[in-house]
Amino acid sequence: MKLLTKAEIQIGIDGNRWIIKRRIKTDQRSSIPLLPQALKILDKYNWQIKQHNEPVLPVLSNQKLNGYLSEIAELCGITKKITTHVGRRTFAITVTLSNGVPIETVSKMLGHTNLATTQIYAKVVDTKISEDMGKLKQRLL
């Protein structure tokens, strides 16, 4: 996110704002619709007044950002090690897959070139499958 520029925040196919960029690691095109919470963060940093190719968020090193996340976790009494990668996994598992977003869609947003890479995340959501099937079972009774 530290490399996100104003040029990469575009109007998507649905008329809403999306991040549309190529992934550095895989060179895959990634299109991610922005949720209202993400737009609030961008607005907080006045992204619209930035230059076209200027980063829209404060630039931190990954190491520094992970350090800040550790401090926040400690203040909140969270003992799990929190990193930017944990945030990526949380987005994939808790925000998308657990809320019914198809795995193919999540794979594209994460920039994975192979669906098998995303399926690693999906194994964690067996509890969601059990929950959903339990609801279906109740409806069928």
Side-chain angles (χ1 to χ4, degrees):
M1 292 312 304
K2 75 178 186 175
L3 299 177
L4 181 65
T5 66
K6 182 177 177 178
E8 295 164 330
I9 301 171
Q10 302 172 18
I11 301 298
I13 192 167
D14 59 2
N16 294 308
R17 297 220 183 267
W18 291 48
I19 294 173
I20 300 174
K21 65 179 291 164
R22 297 200 82 73
R23 295 285 180 168
I24 294 170
K25 186 176 175 181
T26 61
D27 196 39
Q28 293 292 307
R29 181 179 184 269
S30 185
S31 302
I32 305 162
L34 289 168
L35 296 171
Q37 298 86 338
L39 286 168
K40 282 183 185 178
I41 293 169
L42 289 171
D43 288 341
K44 177 180 177 179
Y45 293 102
N46 300 311
W47 73 274
Q48 293 189 17
I49 65 168
K50 306 285 181 169
Q51 297 298 315
H52 194 65
N53 287 317
E54 181 183 0
V56 294
L57 296 170
V59 179
L60 298 171
S61 69
N62 200 43
Q63 182 179 12
K64 192 70 171 168
L65 181 54
N66 286 336
Y68 286 143
L69 290 172
S70 293
E71 285 182 39
I72 293 167
E74 186 178 327
L75 290 170
C76 294
I78 298 169
T79 56
K80 179 179 172 97
K81 183 175 173 139
I82 306 292
T83 64
T84 54
H85 187 71
V86 170
R88 178 178 165 85
R89 289 183 56 84
T90 299
F91 172 75
I93 297 166
T94 307
V95 177
T96 59
L97 292 171
S98 292
N99 285 299
V101 176
I103 193 167
E104 296 84 2
T105 302
V106 175
S107 184
K108 280 289 191 190
M109 286 191 292
L110 293 176
H112 292 162
T113 55
N114 186 330
L115 192 59
T117 306
T118 313
Q119 287 171 331
I120 295 165
Y121 294 95
K123 290 179 184 174
V124 181
V125 295
D126 282 348
T127 54
K128 176 68 174 152
I129 294 168
S130 174
E131 190 179 294
D132 292 344
M133 291 305 286
K135 288 176 188 174
L136 176 60
K137 186 190 227 180
Q138 289 301 314
R139 286 187 196 143
L140 295 175
L141 291 177

